[in-house]
């Protein structure tokens, strides 16, 4: 940490810069404070010479959006960004992001202070990072942001600060013609072989990080430096110094074959089954590191706002290295940190640096030569802009949009690799050795006691790879003797989607043309960006200005974990906004909605269906053999009605799932088997055989009076015979019912000729009034209705409204190509829609006019998201197997997203259960398998 330099910016939006924290390959980081609120932040400001390159700006912004999406847990939430619309003219040229300040040490620096981490700390570190990776991989993305300098150790657990290759780059350099060259500090066997990266690539790097944290060195360091890539690709890792309990897991992460590596969820569960946060309770850092973190926080709080008009440190101070006692003073809570200086590959093009260029001694091969002072883009070396075909990177998304790298609202296609390496086929001589940097006098900062260092460790610890780990190439456009560089796919301007195969061929052709590595920018931008074209498929209202960034889910009011010793939940329901009732194969249990604490469990409720309110003081549960009325206080059975007793005239009655409920009335189907005796044979004829026939009924039952209201015979369903009904609308005179296509008999399917139907039953008597089909709505078409007599059904890829009694079409809403609508949700004058393409929206009930349509930003297509409205109907919640997304119900503004790693078997695959949501009052309960979260909502 050092004083501000003369040319450093003093303002970043609402934040005032207080001091330089450090600088990396692509950015400089500053400690800053919002004078009005006192909020302290860490600013990541892109280097001006890089920020002037359009391809860099788009990548920087894309990785910032990834940070927004991952915010929460072990990712520090972003606070603000350098949006030109919200900054003054003098600040508009800057490219920056702000993250909340959390005192923490970079992993490399922590190893330098206290040496290798103990086993418990290793488990917490690995589990925390694996939990982040699991969220990224669940969305079909690859992170590529892991390095010893991007992983931080805070008092309560680890933090990740890089969200893509740019943030974790070992070097980044602007070149003539609007080009950008970037080199990574870590390689995997598949990258060395020139293959595409995948989620398994992140696991390989995680294995390297854990081995480094456990030993202070990397498992591929033995042997000549110039053969490091061969050792990574071919040799077995040296893990003898890794704790025996973790050796097998890390070895699996470092498997050469990506298919043999575990998933992130498996790693997280095996390291800390109770989660990283649970294992870290009570502290987790060794004493020297805990002291260094506390020390750092005190010094940051002691920083004062520079006086107006005061000059920053002069050249003599600018190059001062950090004093020994300041080791561990870098929190690094920014979006684009650099890897530790010693971890960067050899770069023989680096020129000797003038005084004032560094904050700490480090080898000069750490990154390309930079301008000696931080300058605005106007002062940077002249750089041509990207070609017109590249555009400005705008993909037409609103401020509420956040997305992972290489994802967006576009038709599914094979993703290009996040980084594409071009390795020369033959190696040349290793690069020359690094030259030592020139130290200078230390700079005065708030005093801190000295932190002891382990003998033999330099600042930042050993290099993750030897200095010449990357192969050198012949002279060419990339310069003589350069290691591999990477092409970074960037969010391009809208353009027609190309043939994926042609895009891949173009990429490979460019890779072959670049000697020593790929260069992004200039004339190559259009070709490299072609495969990443993203077209906006949702209609967006004008974005609203906001100071804070969207995306982060609110802190839950409480969390509840269903015991691992019990079977997984089958159904969940809310009772009177007081209890969360959970049923499983073994029992029913209740959780207090105020506290998240389990109150009782009752074995009688095993395999029960959704709990309902039977009056004001009883919980109704339908089990496979009986109806139960339970006490909400202790779960005690107050009343019990067995089917054999309540329906004694229907022996052997099998009750199906509930079709629906309204107040005290429930509707359900049931069936039983009767024997039909063969008719008396004619004289001289042999008697025929008796037949077993299934008889089915549709019932109405009052759960307060505990009596049957009516039953009506209905056609039996597919074997075993009980049809599955669903009430789609309740009107004053009748109820409208759909039968699930899976329960139709073969004869009924043939008779329907591919069209679904709706039945009307009299509310008072249960008499079947009519059966009707609606347009071309199929047997599987999602359908719902309202009390006014209008039905809304999916017809092909569109949503259509019909008069229920006449089947007259009223209006139609067009859907997205190749998709279809799921079951809509009625809310006052609006109907909320959901599509297989992961779009949700709202249309007017009366006219069908589209009010808004938004993407959940889950990549690809899949089952339609389920919809839930908050108690006030102001917040719409969409949930699927990947995430939960909250929208403003009125205008579709994206409010937040939530992902959970789910449950994981240490020896098996991660459980990818669907999210379920239940809303009451100002709370929505989110469930994924055994985990429950109660979030506040509007």
């Amino acid at each position: 940490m050092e004083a501000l330099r003369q040319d450093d910016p003093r303002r970043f939006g609402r934040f005032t810069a207080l001091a330089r924290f450090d600088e990396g390959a692509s950015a400089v980081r500053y400690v800053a404070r919002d004078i009005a609120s006192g909020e302290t932040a860490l600013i990541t400001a892109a280097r001006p010479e890089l920020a002037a390159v359009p391809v860099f700006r788009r990548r920087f912004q894309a990785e910032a959006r990834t940070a927004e999406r991952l915010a929460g847990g072990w990712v520090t939430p972003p606070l603000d960004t350098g949006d030109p619309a919200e900054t003054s003219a003098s600040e508009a040229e800057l490219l920056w992001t702000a993250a909340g300040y959390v005192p923490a040490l970079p992993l490399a620096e922590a190893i330098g202070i206290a040496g290798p981490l103990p086993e418990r700390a290793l488990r917490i570190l690995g589990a925390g990072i694996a939990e982040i990776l699991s969220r990224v991989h669940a969305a079909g993305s690859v992170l590529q942001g892991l390095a010893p300098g991007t992983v931080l150790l805070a008092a309560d657990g680890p933090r990740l600060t890089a969200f893509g290759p740019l943030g974790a780059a070992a070097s980044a350099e602007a070149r003539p013609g609007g080009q950008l060259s970037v080199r990574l500090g870590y390689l995997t066997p598949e990258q060395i072989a020139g293959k595409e990266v995948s989620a398994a690539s992140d696991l390989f790097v995680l294995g390297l990080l854990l081995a480094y944290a456990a030993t202070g060195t990397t498992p591929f360091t033995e042997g000549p430096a110039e053969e490091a890539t061969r050792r990574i690709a071919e040799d077995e890792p040296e893990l003898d110094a890794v704790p025996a309990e973790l050796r097998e897991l890390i070895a699996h992460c470092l498997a050469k074959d990506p298919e043999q590596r575990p998933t992130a969820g498996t790693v997280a569960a095996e390291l800390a089954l109770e989660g990283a946060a649970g294992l870290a309770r009570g502290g987790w850092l060794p004493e020297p590191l805990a002291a260094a973190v506390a020390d750092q926080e005190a010094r940051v709080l002691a920083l004062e706002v520079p006086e107006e008009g005061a000059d920053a440190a002069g050249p003599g101070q600018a190059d001062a290295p950090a004093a020994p006692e300041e080791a561990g003073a870098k929190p690094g809570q920014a979006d684009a940190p650099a890897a530790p200086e010693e971890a960067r590959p050899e770069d023989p093009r680096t020129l000797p640096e003038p005084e004032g260029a560094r904050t700490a001694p480090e080898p000069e091969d750490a990154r390309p030569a930079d301008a000696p002072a931080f300058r605005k883009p106007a002062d940077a070396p002249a750089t041509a802009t990207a070609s017109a075909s590249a555009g400005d990177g705008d993909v037409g998304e609103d401020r509420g949009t956040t997305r992972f790298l290489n994802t967006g609202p576009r038709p599914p296609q094979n993703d290009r690799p996040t980084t594409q390496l071009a390795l020369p086929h033959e190696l040349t001589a290793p690069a020359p050795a690094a030259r030592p940097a020139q130290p200078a006098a230390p700079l005065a900062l708030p005093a801190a006691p000295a932190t002891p260092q382990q003998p033999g460790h330099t600042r930042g610890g050993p290099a993750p790879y030897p200095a010449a780990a990357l192969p050198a190439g012949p002279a060419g456009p990339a310069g003589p003797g350069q290691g591999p560089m990477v092409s970074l796919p960037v969010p391009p301007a809208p353009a027609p989607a190309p043939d994926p195969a042609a895009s891949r061929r173009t990429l490979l052709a460019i890779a072959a043309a670049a000697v020593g590595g790929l260069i992004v920018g200039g004339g190559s931008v259009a070709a490299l960006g072609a495969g990443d074209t993203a077209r906006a498929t949702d209609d967006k209202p004008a974005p609203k200005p906001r100071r804070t960034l969207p995306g982060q889910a609110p802190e839950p009011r409480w969390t509840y974990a269903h015991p691992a010793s019990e079977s997984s939940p089958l159904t969940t329901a809310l009772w009177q906004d007081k209890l969360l009732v959970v049923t499983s194969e073994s029992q029913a249990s209740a959780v207090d909605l105020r506290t998240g604490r389990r109150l009782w469990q009752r074995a009688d409720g095993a395999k029960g269906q959704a709990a309902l309110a039977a009056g004001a003081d009883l919980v109704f549960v339908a089990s496979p053999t009986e109806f139960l009325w339970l006490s909400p206080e202790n779960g005690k059975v107050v009343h019990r009605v067995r089917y054999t007793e309540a329906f004694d005239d229907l022996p052997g009655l099998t009750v199906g799932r509930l079709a629906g409920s309204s107040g005290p009335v429930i509707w359900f189907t049931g069936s039983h088997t009767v024997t039909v005796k063969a008719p008396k044979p004619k004289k001289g004829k042999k008697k025929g055989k008796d037949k077993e026939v299934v008889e089915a009924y549709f019932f109405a039952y009052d759960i307060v009076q505990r009596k049957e209201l009516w039953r009506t015979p209905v056609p039996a369903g597919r074997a075993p015979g009980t049809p599955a009904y669903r009430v789609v609308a309740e009107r004053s005179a009748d109820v409208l019912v759909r039968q699930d296509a899976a329960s139709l008999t073969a004869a009924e399917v043939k008779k329907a000729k591919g069209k679904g139907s709706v039945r009307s039953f009299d509310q008072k008597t249960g008499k079947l009034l009519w059966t009707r089909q609606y347009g071309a709505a199929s047997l599987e078409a999602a359908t719902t209705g309202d009390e006014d007599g209008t039905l809304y059904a999916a017809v092909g890829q569109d949503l259509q409204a019909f008069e229920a009694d006449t089947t007259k079409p009223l209006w139609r809403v067009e859907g997205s190509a190749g998709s279809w609508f799921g079951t809509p949700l009625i809310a006052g004058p609006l109907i909320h829609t959901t599509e297989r393409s992961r779009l949700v929206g709202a249309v007017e009930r009366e006219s069908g006019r589209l009010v808004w349509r938004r993407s959940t930003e889950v990549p690809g297509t899949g089952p339609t998201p389920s919809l839930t409205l908050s108690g006030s109907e102001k917040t719409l919640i969409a949930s699927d197997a990947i995430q939960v997304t909250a929208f403003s119900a009125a205008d579709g503004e994206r409010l937040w997203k939530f992902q959970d790693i789910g449950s994981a078997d240490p020896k098996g695959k991660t459980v990818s259960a669907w999210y379920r949501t239940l809303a009451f009052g100002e709370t929505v309960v989110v469930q994924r398998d055994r985990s429950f979260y109660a979030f506040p909502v509007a």
Side-chain angles (χ1 to χ4, degrees):
M1 193 162 61
E2 62 171 286
L4 296 172
R5 300 179 186 176
Q6 187 171 7
D7 292 334
D8 281 335
R10 294 304 193 268
R11 297 281 299 179
F12 296 93
R14 60 190 173 101
F15 295 101
T16 300
L18 304 179
R20 271 185 167 230
F21 245 85
D22 66 0
E23 55 183 311
S26 61
V28 178
R29 298 192 292 198
Y30 299 88
V31 183
R33 187 171 295 143
D34 181 348
I35 305 303
S37 66
E39 187 175 33
T40 304
L42 214 71
I43 305 292
T44 299
R47 294 185 178 278
E49 62 272 21
L50 299 177
V53 181
V55 68
F56 177 90
R57 297 184 71 89
R58 295 196 294 274
R59 168 55 56 183
F60 186 95
Q61 291 161 352
E63 294 190 12
R65 290 195 297 271
T66 301
E68 294 175 28
R69 180 164 185 161
L70 291 176
W74 307 122
V75 176
T76 304
L79 298 177
D80 211 338
T81 186
D83 187 344
E86 300 179 7
T87 56
S88 65
S90 61
E91 301 166 9
E93 293 178 333
L94 300 176
L95 183 63
W96 59 274
T97 60
Y101 166 68
V102 176
L105 304 174
L107 173 61
E109 192 166 327
I111 298 299
I113 293 173
L117 299 180
E119 182 191 341
R120 177 169 173 268
L122 288 170
R123 288 183 176 276
I124 295 167
L125 169 65
I129 300 303
E131 288 169 9
I132 299 173
L133 292 179
S134 182
R135 294 166 58 197
V136 175
H137 298 166
S141 301
V142 182
L143 183 69
Q144 286 200 289
L146 298 181
T150 68
V151 174
L152 308 181
L153 311 184
D156 59 347
R159 296 291 192 280
L160 183 63
T161 64
F163 307 97
L166 189 62
S171 70
E173 182 180 8
R175 296 204 172 174
Q179 296 178 333
L180 174 69
S181 67
V182 174
R183 278 192 291 144
L184 299 179
Y186 271 118
L187 296 178
T188 65
E190 53 269 29
Q191 287 175 303
I192 293 172
K195 298 179 181 179
E196 294 186 357
V197 294
S198 64
S201 303
D202 283 336
L203 270 297
F204 186 90
V205 180
L206 177 59
L208 289 174
L209 284 176
L210 290 177
Y212 171 66
T215 64
T217 186
T218 56
F220 297 105
T221 56
E222 292 298 326
E226 61 271 16
E227 295 183 6
T229 52
R230 181 197 60 76
R231 293 197 300 273
I232 295 168
E234 300 176 5
D235 292 357
E236 291 302 314
E238 294 290 337
L239 300 176
D240 292 344
V242 173
E245 294 80 359
L246 303 180
R247 197 174 300 151
E248 182 180 2
L249 176 63
I250 295 176
H252 288 164
C253 291
L254 296 175
K256 306 301 182 189
D257 182 0
E259 297 295 327
Q260 300 301 315
R261 297 171 199 158
T263 65
T266 298
V267 172
E270 188 159 337
L271 289 173
L273 192 57
E274 68 272 53
L279 188 57
R281 289 193 182 98
W284 71 293
L285 293 176
E287 187 175 346
L289 298 184
V293 170
D295 214 36
Q296 175 195 111
E297 181 178 20
R299 280 181 290 132
V300 168
L301 292 176
L303 290 173
E304 297 181 356
V305 177
E307 296 182 6
E308 292 293 332
D311 290 333
Q317 293 173 300
D319 61 352
E325 63 268 25
E326 291 169 3
K330 295 188 280 187
Q333 307 304 114
D335 291 337
E341 290 79 355
E342 294 84 356
R344 297 171 182 156
E346 186 78 27
D347 190 346
R349 293 173 299 141
T350 305
L351 302 176
E353 288 189 310
E355 290 188 6
R358 297 202 184 276
T359 61
E362 63 179 356
E364 291 199 60
D365 62 342
R367 53 179 169 77
D370 304 312
F374 189 94
R375 298 173 298 179
K376 295 181 180 179
D379 302 323
T383 307
T385 59
S387 65
S389 61
D392 61 359
D394 181 16
V395 294
E397 63 185 0
D398 60 283
R399 278 292 306 280
T401 300
T402 60
R403 77 171 45 110
F404 282 109
L405 305 180
N406 301 326
T407 65
R410 62 179 183 272
Q413 56 182 308
N414 291 332
D415 291 337
R416 282 200 293 120
T418 305
T419 59
Q420 178 69 35
L421 296 178
L423 299 181
H425 292 290
E426 58 268 18
L427 302 180
T428 60
R435 296 180 293 274
Q438 296 296 324
L443 176 69
L445 282 170
T451 304
Q453 299 240 359
Q454 287 278 341
H457 281 280
T458 59
R459 177 181 176 275
Y465 294 117
L470 304 180
Q482 291 310 294
M485 297 182 186
V486 295
S487 134
L488 300 180
V490 296
D499 173 31
S503 175
R504 175 70 176 155
R505 289 193 296 271
T506 303
L507 178 63
L508 293 177
I510 296 174
V515 180
L518 292 180
I519 301 190
V520 184
S524 68
V525 172
L528 292 174
D532 286 332
T533 297
R535 278 187 307 154
T537 59
D538 52 348
D539 303 312
K540 307 176 178 67
K544 297 179 179 180
R546 61 169 69 84
R547 294 188 68 88
T548 57
L549 297 171
Q552 180 189 6
E555 286 296 318
R557 302 184 193 276
W558 51 259
T559 62
Y560 166 71
H562 194 70
S565 59
E566 301 176 10
S567 54
S568 296
L570 293 175
T571 68
T572 54
L574 302 181
W575 181 84
Q576 298 282 55
D577 293 354
K578 296 178 181 179
L579 297 180
L580 171 68
V581 181
V582 181
T583 65
S584 67
E585 291 283 347
S586 57
Q587 62 189 7
S589 57
V591 176
D592 189 332
L593 286 175
R594 297 170 302 168
T595 64
R597 184 173 61 88
R598 186 152 83 164
L599 300 178
W600 50 260
Q601 55 267 2
R602 178 66 57 178
D604 301 79
K607 302 180 182 180
Q609 297 191 49
L612 299 171
D617 53 1
L618 291 177
V619 180
F620 172 82
V621 175
S623 82
T625 58
E626 60 188 349
F627 290 148
L628 298 172
W629 286 260
L630 309 178
S631 165
E633 283 79 20
N634 54 25
K636 180 181 178 181
V637 177
V638 178
H639 302 290
R640 185 193 307 267
V641 174
R642 293 182 173 87
Y643 302 149
T644 54
E645 299 171 356
F647 310 102
D648 53 4
D649 58 331
L650 302 175
L653 178 69
T654 298
V655 173
R657 74 181 189 203
L658 297 185
S661 66
S662 178
V665 179
I666 62 172
W667 296 281
F668 61 92
T669 54
S671 66
H672 77 132
T673 303
V674 297
T675 301
V676 178
K677 294 192 174 291
K680 185 177 180 180
K682 294 181 180 180
K683 187 175 182 179
K685 297 292 183 179
K686 188 177 181 180
K687 182 180 180 181
K689 292 183 179 180
D690 296 343
K691 293 183 179 180
E692 298 291 323
V693 178
V694 175
E695 294 181 347
Y697 299 89
F698 185 43
F699 296 85
Y701 190 93
D702 190 314
I703 61 175
V704 172
Q705 301 182 49
R706 300 193 297 282
K707 71 175 185 178
E708 179 183 343
L709 300 178
W710 50 256
R711 79 178 73 159
T712 189
V714 294
R718 188 185 298 268
T722 304
Y725 281 7
R726 183 173 65 86
V727 174
V728 297
E730 180 195 7
R731 302 190 292 183
S732 58
D734 62 352
V735 288
L736 305 183
V737 176
R738 281 265 297 190
Q739 183 173 349
D740 287 357
S743 69
L744 292 170
T745 64
E748 287 175 316
V749 172
K750 183 178 180 179
K751 182 180 178 181
K753 297 181 179 180
K755 294 183 179 181
S757 60
V758 172
R759 295 182 174 100
S760 169
F761 294 92
D762 186 275
Q763 277 269 31
K764 294 182 179 179
T765 66
K767 179 183 177 182
L768 177 64
L769 302 177
W770 47 257
T771 301
R772 295 194 171 101
Q773 295 179 327
Y774 295 86
S778 68
L779 293 169
E780 299 84 7
T783 306
T784 194
D786 60 28
E787 70 281 0
D788 296 329
T790 304
L791 283 180
Y792 310 94
V795 180
Q797 66 182 29
D798 301 332
L799 180 69
Q800 194 165 355
F802 300 89
E803 284 186 356
D805 294 316
T806 66
T807 72
K808 176 184 176 182
L810 299 176
W811 50 254
R812 177 189 297 266
V813 175
E814 292 186 359
S816 51
S819 182
W820 59 75
F821 282 89
T823 303
L825 181 63
I826 299 172
L830 297 179
I831 302 172
H832 293 291
T833 62
T834 173
E835 298 182 56
R836 179 175 179 264
S837 56
R838 312 297 175 94
L839 295 174
V840 299
V843 299
E844 292 180 350
R845 284 173 63 181
E846 185 68 26
S847 64
R849 185 184 72 85
L850 182 66
V851 178
W852 60 265
R853 183 179 286 170
R854 284 281 192 278
S855 171
T856 63
E857 297 181 326
V858 171
T861 59
T864 57
S866 299
L867 301 180
T868 303
L869 271 173
S870 64
S872 66
E873 298 190 351
K874 294 180 179 179
T875 304
L876 179 68
I877 311 294
S879 57
D880 54 28
I882 305 300
Q883 70 181 27
V884 175
T885 311
F887 299 88
S888 168
D891 59 12
E893 179 186 10
R894 297 179 187 87
L895 303 176
W896 50 264
K897 302 172 188 178
F898 172 75
Q899 291 179 329
D900 173 71
I901 66 168
S903 302
D905 182 341
K907 303 298 182 183
K909 294 183 178 180
T910 300
V911 176
S912 55
W914 265 66
Y915 291 94
R916 299 176 184 172
T917 54
L918 300 166
F920 69 98
E922 297 181 345
T923 301
V924 60
V925 177
V926 174
Q927 177 204 357
R928 195 181 197 198
D929 195 34
R930 297 176 180 274
S931 300
F932 295 80
Y933 305 83
F935 291 108
V937 292

